[in-house]
Amino acid sequence: MSTTEPDHQPRRDRMAVLARAEGRQLRELWGGLGIDPAFEMVRGPETGLATVRGRISGDGAPFNFGDVTVTRASVRLQDGAVGHAYRLGRDQGVARLCAVIDALADDTVMAATIDSQLVEPLRETLAARDRQRQAETAATKVDFFTLVRGED
Amino acid sequence: MYVAVKGGEAAIDNAHRLLADRRRGNRDVADLGLDQIMEQLSLAVDRVMSEGALYDRELAALAIKQARGDLIEAIFLARAYRTTLPRFGYTQPVDTGRMQVERRISACFKDLPGGQLLGPTFDYTHRLLDPALAGGAAPETPEVREPDAAPMMRVSDFLGQEGLLEPAPDPADKPVPDDIARNPMSYPMDRDARLQALARGDEGFLLSMGYSTQRGYARSHPFAGEIRIGEVELEIAVPELDFAAPLGRIQVTECQMVNQFQGSAKAPPQFTCGYGLVFGQAERKSMAMALVDRALRATELGEDLTAPAQDEEFVIAHSDNVQATGFVEHLKLPHYVDFQSELNLVRQMRAEVEARGETHQEAAE
Amino acid sequence: MAETDFLSGGLADPVLAGQSAFRAIMQAMAEPGTVQAVADCPTPPSGLSRTMAAIATTLCDADTPIWLDVALANDPQVVKWLAFHTGAPVTADSGAAMFAFVSDPSSMPALDRFAQGTDTYPDRSTTLVLAVDAFDADQPLSLSGPGIESTRRFAFAPLPEAFIDQWSENRARFPRGVDLILAGPEAVACLPRSTRIKSGEH
């Protein structure tokens, strides 16, 4: 471990958006960027399982409660930059694309372009969906009001 | 005597062809798309995912279509498919406290932080068939309202603060849970392994077992402390990254049953918990799971074992509908030789009885 | 670049190569003491032999804890390579390992230090993978048992310490006990626990 621990948060956030993004929108935005780097596959794309863990009573000891399909891919660009991708589901093409994007973002300048033109629009789509669902759920909140307060 | 026979290939081929035809049904009716199953039969999809122990909406929809809507057959297909995939590892435990909540209710507290959120529930419907739905009437768009910014504390968190609720099992006591998908089950089993079995257990069976505890077979005075449905983030630790890789979100249903507990030599009077956690929107299943989980803790809590729902081996060994259907349905397979030997045996016993009867008669005469 | 070297050297076609290596290992296990070629090996870091790497990528995954001998465990490139290409967790407890990788058989722990399985589940034992230099030696072994018609002459080097005595104890624990996969240059041979071994002179 080096003493200057690199900040993984931007990369993690980007991967989180790429993992959740809908494949069609991701491909469209990627097409708009007009980038087509050469790369070699380091591993995959391959589809497998991750066993999902929960916690007893929500915050206690862990237990396994089922599997989920996961597709992963690792690529290397010509300049040696390596990218990885993990996504729920079985779309291998999109997982490979996500790994290429992750590798490209190794370069700071390219990362800025990717974040502003690809990741941000995807993030906004996901956030808008969350906001809509939260608002729909909030409308089903029960507002209690007191009918009668009795003494016996 | 052993006789090997062969045959039936043509009959089997033709039966499969007939099955495919009947599954498709009348060609004048539009073919059912997987998107239609995922969108409009989503709770069937959820059930196949939870009892198939495989979260993948599209695969579950395909299984339902292939099984002609026979959900246990579809669950079987999902289980069979998952055995063909390599396993990359285990996710970090999901944090249901940070769930994107779509429904959240408590039967214990009216005014809990975050409130009672009914979500898309069947509750309060009148269970009257709706002819308008048959006609394909378009529903209204949902009402919206500014959501509460307050974090949605779990009911168990604020009951626990007062010490009225037993603490959850300490992760430090068993950081790595058993895995029944990996190792054969043996009894008695730990609670983590039981919960894994219950999570994939048959909803109908668990419902009946849970119901039996309410009717007095291992009475445990349950209250629905909290039920929440929503999406949770998944992440997985992998060697090539210095942080856990985010995978995306899945929908789960969590149920925390709160049960009165008289106290024992080891513990003061307090509330104890039964826990349910299930893939998808599966409220009934999660409640039944929590009831059965609590009943199966009888030995741990020093309670008398009096009822079927407290019998670990009985409940766990019979909760899996894929195992159950395999053993029940195997009775359809040819047992010609077995039955021939039974037939011979019964004939022989009858002959012996008849022979004895004649001797008795002779003796009497 | 050097930081990501452990990512390289995987198989171009993991499914086909895995199937062919599996076939070789299975054949070697079925006919103890025969040497089976493993054609398509990965290219791991130099601390790990190519045949061992082929065995690891074929047989190990996230469900199989592996134990590494000191030389392998102290080679970070080897550890990272195995983690990325197999997903297998490394355990320091030889008794908890499904597979054990031994780069230097002459200084390896005793066979009974590894998982022996149980009478109910004899499969819950460690399969040891030993790097060997060659399948010949001055003192050949005489093998007999399942998969061998009468006896078979077999040799490998280097031999673990007091190997014949250790092996006869291992054989005596049957159905418990460990199985050995010997990883030679682009070839494997196996000694399953059912095999009896005498030194060649007898």
Side-chain angles (χ1 to χ4, degrees):
Chain A
M1 283 287 149
S2 67
T3 46
T4 51
E5 190 67 33
D7 183 8
H8 300 303
Q9 204 57 40
R11 186 179 183 200
R12 195 206 167 274
D13 288 349
R14 190 182 304 117
M15 288 176 94
V17 171
L18 293 174
R20 281 184 61 212
E22 196 240 330
R24 196 169 48 183
Q25 192 192 6
L26 178 54
R27 285 181 206 275
E28 274 171 22
L29 288 165
W30 170 253
L33 283 181
I35 314 172
D36 187 19
F39 64 90
E40 55 161 353
M41 292 309 305
V42 173
R43 183 178 65 190
E46 57 184 346
T47 300
L49 300 172
T51 299
V52 182
R53 282 187 173 156
R55 289 190 181 282
I56 301 175
S57 287
D59 58 357
F63 69 100
N64 301 306
F65 77 104
D67 293 338
V68 61
T69 51
V70 173
T71 298
R72 68 182 179 187
S74 298
V75 302
R76 179 184 274 123
L77 304 182
Q78 279 178 328
D79 67 1
V82 170
H84 303 288
Y86 281 79
R87 267 172 72 94
L88 294 183
R90 288 164 291 119
D91 194 330
Q92 302 200 341
V94 170
R96 183 172 48 217
L97 174 55
C98 290
V100 171
I101 295 168
D102 181 51
L104 284 169
D106 201 35
D107 176 89
T108 336
V109 179
M110 186 59 92
T113 308
I114 285 170
D115 286 344
S116 63
Q117 292 180 46
L118 186 92
V119 177
E120 276 315 311
L122 293 171
R123 193 197 308 276
E124 181 43 38
T125 302
L126 295 169
R129 174 181 170 274
D130 278 352
R131 283 195 301 271
Q132 177 66 23
R133 301 205 121 199
Q134 283 160 6
E136 288 168 3
T137 304
T140 68
K141 181 171 175 177
V142 180
D143 298 314
F144 289 103
F145 53 92
T146 305
L147 289 175
V148 177
R149 194 178 295 278
E151 282 302 317
D152 52 9
Chain B
M1 186 187 66
Y2 177 77
V3 186
V5 292
K6 203 167 144 58
E9 286 97 332
I12 290 169
D13 285 346
N14 291 340
H16 290 169
R17 196 162 153 175
L18 185 59
L19 166 66
D21 177 83
R22 294 297 192 270
R23 171 166 51 220
R24 176 60 184 86
N26 185 343
R27 307 298 201 271
D28 294 337
V29 177
D31 187 36
L32 186 57
L34 298 189
D35 53 349
Q36 290 174 301
I37 297 174
M38 285 190 281
E39 293 297 320
Q40 296 175 40
L41 296 176
S42 58
L43 301 194
V45 168
D46 288 339
R47 179 162 181 195
V48 170
M49 293 197 304
S50 81
E51 293 172 34
L54 179 65
Y55 195 101
D56 186 313
R57 304 200 75 82
E58 195 181 50
L59 283 177
L62 175 59
I64 291 167
K65 181 175 182 178
Q66 189 174 329
R68 306 175 69 187
D70 176 341
L71 293 191
I72 291 184
E73 179 71 18
I75 289 159
F76 199 160
L77 292 171
R79 290 271 188 95
Y81 180 83
R82 62 184 276 295
T83 65
T84 66
L85 295 176
R87 180 148 62 167
F88 296 154
Y90 296 88
T91 71
Q92 314 281 29
V94 297
D95 184 354
T96 52
R98 293 177 57 197
M99 181 187 283
Q100 289 283 321
V101 169
E102 293 157 38
R103 167 168 166 80
R104 186 278 197 114
I105 53 156
S106 169
C108 295
F109 295 101
K110 178 168 71 75
D111 299 308
L112 70 173
Q116 310 268 356
L117 300 163
L118 300 183
T121 182
F122 291 122
D123 299 348
Y124 319 108
T125 63
H126 296 113
R127 266 70 186 219
L128 298 174
L129 280 172
D130 180 6
L133 190 61
E140 293 174 275
T141 53
E143 189 58 68
V144 292
R145 181 167 133 179
E146 189 60 34
D148 221 332
M152 232 170 278
M153 238 177 131
R154 272 190 293 247
V155 166
S156 53
D157 293 337
F158 54 84
L159 259 182
Q161 285 169 358
E162 244 189 287
L164 294 175
L165 186 73
E166 60 166 353
D170 188 349
D173 291 343
K174 193 170 180 187
V176 179
D178 294 336
D179 188 352
I180 63 163
R182 221 8 243 171
N183 296 310
M185 290 191 281
S186 60
Y187 306 97
M189 60 206 306
D190 288 345
R191 190 173 172 201
D192 53 273
R194 276 202 310 257
L195 286 169
Q196 187 182 9
L198 296 175
R200 65 171 59 188
D202 183 78
E203 178 172 320
F205 178 79
L206 296 183
L207 182 66
S208 296
M209 283 289 126
Y211 180 41
S212 73
T213 68
Q214 289 180 278
R215 287 195 65 252
Y217 293 86
R219 202 171 196 78
S220 55
H221 308 278
F223 294 88
E226 181 172 351
I227 296 167
R228 50 170 71 190
I229 303 175
E231 291 186 342
V232 291
E233 303 269 354
L234 292 185
E235 43 179 38
I236 186 169
V238 292
E240 64 270 25
L241 294 172
D242 296 326
F243 53 90
L247 294 173
R249 288 192 198 160
I250 60 168
Q251 188 192 40
V252 297
T253 303
E254 180 187 51
C255 173
Q256 188 94 255
M257 283 287 177
V258 176
N259 305 264
Q260 193 197 95
F261 179 56
Q262 309 285 349
S264 68
K266 283 183 285 183
Q270 60 183 346
F271 291 104
T272 55
C273 279
Y275 189 65
L277 186 63
V278 185
F279 283 151
Q281 178 172 341
E283 192 162 278
R284 184 189 304 119
K285 165 77 180 279
S286 72
M287 294 175 76
M289 175 176 172
L291 288 174
V292 176
D293 171 48
R294 176 59 186 79
L296 290 174
R297 295 180 60 204
T299 307
E300 173 203 338
L301 295 168
E303 295 170 331
D304 292 336
L305 299 184
T306 57
Q310 296 169 310
D311 184 330
E312 179 181 80
E313 179 162 1
F314 179 79
V315 172
I316 300 295
H318 301 116
S319 63
D320 189 299
N321 56 29
V322 177
Q323 277 176 15
T325 204
F327 206 44
V328 168
E329 292 201 56
H330 105 282
L331 294 172
K332 294 182 291 191
L333 296 173
H335 285 69
Y336 305 143
V337 176
D338 304 49
F339 190 70
Q340 203 63 46
S341 77
E342 297 273 315
L343 207 54
N344 289 342
L345 185 64
V346 171
R347 282 186 181 131
Q348 190 189 330
M349 291 190 299
R350 286 175 64 94
E352 284 168 10
V353 168
E354 273 169 34
R356 268 206 305 278
E358 278 164 24
T359 351
H360 290 321
Q361 228 162 18
E362 281 164 21
E365 277 168 3
Chain C
M1 272 297 282
E3 265 181 36
T4 59
D5 273 355
F6 68 93
L7 299 170
S8 308
L11 292 158
D13 191 339
V15 174
L16 277 182
Q19 283 173 348
S20 115
F22 187 84
R23 173 77 211 187
I25 297 164
M26 189 172 70
Q27 195 67 32
M29 203 56 97
E31 295 185 63
T34 62
V35 177
Q36 306 287 337
V38 180
D40 195 359
C41 294
T43 315
S46 56
L48 188 69
S49 89
R50 296 190 65 205
T51 313
M52 278 184 131
I55 295 165
T57 51
T58 302
L59 298 182
C60 302
D61 64 18
D63 290 328
T64 58
I66 59 175
W67 178 91
L68 304 175
D69 73 359
V70 179
L72 294 174
N74 287 339
D75 185 334
Q77 285 297 318
V78 167
V79 173
K80 283 184 180 175
W81 193 90
L82 285 171
F84 181 73
H85 293 276
T86 71
V90 173
T91 173
D93 176 3
S94 57
M98 293 289 289
F99 292 91
F101 288 84
V102 177
S103 62
D104 179 12
S106 59
S107 65
M108 67 180 285
L111 297 181
D112 63 8
R113 297 273 299 278
F114 295 92
Q116 305 292 313
T118 64
D119 287 343
T120 321
Y121 296 104
D123 56 303
R124 292 181 186 175
S125 59
T126 307
T127 299
L128 284 81
V129 182
L130 273 55
V132 301
D133 299 335
F135 291 114
D136 56 41
D138 296 339
Q139 295 188 318
L141 309 170
S142 171
L143 313 185
S144 61
I148 302 165
E149 194 166 0
S150 53
T151 57
R152 178 173 290 135
R153 277 168 69 88
F154 175 63
F156 69 97
L159 230 49
E161 208 172 310
F163 179 66
I164 293 183
D165 290 345
Q166 280 206 64
W167 190 259
S168 83
E169 286 164 20
N170 185 61
R171 178 69 189 76
R173 285 189 282 271
F174 193 87
R176 300 164 68 237
V178 299
D179 306 304
L180 301 192
I181 301 176
L182 306 168
E186 318 233 323
V188 292
C190 291
L191 294 173
R193 67 192 79 172
S194 56
T195 299
R196 291 183 176 80
I197 303 181
K198 286 182 190 164
S199 78
E201 282 92 338
H202 296 290

